[in-house]
Amino acid sequence: MTVITHAVHSVDHRENPEVRRPRPINSSFHSALSAARREIVMVRSDAMPRPDELRREAALLMNLLRRWVRISVIWDERLLSRPAIVEYVLWQARSGIQVRTAARVPVTMALVDDTTSAVVAEPVQDAPRGEEEVSVSRCPDTVGMLHYLFLGLWEGSTSLAVENWSPDDDQSQDVLRMLARGHTDEQIAHRLDVSKRTVSRTVAKLMRELNARSRFEAGVLATRLGWFGTPDRRG
């Protein structure tokens, strides 16, 4: 068995006794996620993530989505009492991540490509206050056991009810289709019989909504989210 353990420190959090204090995730946790090539499944317990952690994780997950990595997350529903968490969870769902919630989630962990596990452990009783650990393992038995745990949690979880944002007019849909095909603003304006300025404004708005880094990527992401009628289905 290959297990790498790293100590990290968290800060006391007393605002809500129903939600445990913020817990910083060690960089090894996010490093394990960044290595994904096919799929990531995650479980988030009731420990409140810190704002800086969520920002780093959002950037990481968006990069993975752009690489067509499947992502599924189960959140402990007690965290949904926090507006910042609700906003982040809704962003995940709208970005194409499969999101579910469960009444009691016992641990924060992730499985990467069914080959690597990363688990944020509770501090041992005699550890210094606030100290927690992240264990990364590539042991098949460990990964298999945690995958079984994830499947059990997924079975008893509830899908997050959220409507994906999509363009509210036919013109925006047409612009996105042509972006996905690599057309320029001039070509789109000519085909739609509108001004180039109108197209440029529409493209800028769509890129913001999709958090896309390029015009072409905006079209690709829209296709993947099923805005053109048929969601992307990868084998």
Side-chain angles (χ1 to χ4, degrees):
M1 178 185 298
T2 304
V3 178
I4 308 168
T5 302
H6 306 266
V8 294
H9 296 270
S10 61
V11 180
D12 284 341
H13 182 71
R14 306 176 188 278
E15 292 182 21
N16 185 347
E18 295 301 317
V19 177
R20 289 184 288 157
R21 64 188 183 279
R23 173 188 305 177
I25 297 294
N26 188 283
S27 60
S28 61
F29 186 85
H30 288 147
S31 293
L33 299 184
S34 67
R37 294 294 178 268
R38 300 184 308 277
E39 182 178 27
I40 287 175
V41 299
M42 297 177 63
V43 174
R44 299 298 298 255
S45 71
D46 65 327
M48 179 72 179
R50 300 189 316 191
D52 59 328
E53 176 194 333
L54 294 183
R55 287 192 295 271
R56 290 195 304 271
E57 186 172 285
L60 170 62
L61 295 184
M62 179 55 70
N63 185 52
L64 291 168
L65 288 170
R66 286 169 176 146
R67 285 159 38 192
W68 302 99
V69 174
R70 294 184 180 92
I71 304 175
S72 305
V73 185
I74 303 173
W75 286 85
D76 190 304
E77 64 184 26
R78 287 170 290 181
L79 282 176
L80 298 184
S81 64
R82 296 306 183 106
I85 297 298
V86 172
E87 182 179 357
Y88 179 58
V89 171
L90 290 176
W91 170 83
Q92 287 187 333
R94 289 171 181 146
S95 297
I97 295 172
Q98 286 190 290
V99 180
R100 290 194 173 192
T101 62
R104 295 283 170 178
V105 175
V107 65
T108 293
M109 71 172 191
L111 300 175
V112 179
D113 294 334
D114 275 338
T115 61
T116 304
S117 65
V119 180
V120 180
E122 293 296 322
V124 296
Q125 187 172 4
D126 58 349
R129 183 178 181 182
E131 184 172 293
E132 289 162 341
E133 296 180 339
V134 176
S135 295
V136 179
S137 174
R138 294 176 181 83
C139 171
D141 290 341
T142 300
V143 173
M145 177 186 67
L146 292 174
H147 183 67
Y148 183 78
L149 170 62
F150 173 81
L151 291 177
L153 290 170
W154 189 262
E155 180 79 19
S157 61
T158 303
S159 296
L160 186 71
V162 58
E163 293 293 329
N164 285 335
W165 178 90
S166 61
D168 55 6
D169 61 274
D170 292 338
Q171 180 173 291
S172 293
Q173 292 262 2
D174 290 336
V175 169
L176 278 168
R177 285 191 183 93
M178 285 184 265
L179 286 178
R181 294 169 188 155
H183 292 299
T184 65
D185 285 1
E186 291 86 350
Q187 291 170 326
I188 296 172
H190 176 73
R191 287 172 179 252
L192 296 181
D193 195 22
V194 297
S195 70
K196 179 184 172 184
R197 185 176 181 183
T198 296
V199 173
S200 297
R201 274 193 238 158
T202 302
V203 170
K205 174 188 174 185
L206 293 170
M207 287 180 64
R208 285 195 303 272
E209 296 288 354
L210 284 160
N211 194 26
R213 294 177 296 183
S214 70
R215 299 153 42 84
F216 176 73
E217 184 179 59
V220 171
L221 289 173
T223 301
R224 181 184 181 190
L225 289 171
W227 291 0
F228 304 148
T230 304
D232 169 64
R233 298 187 185 281
R234 292 166 292 133

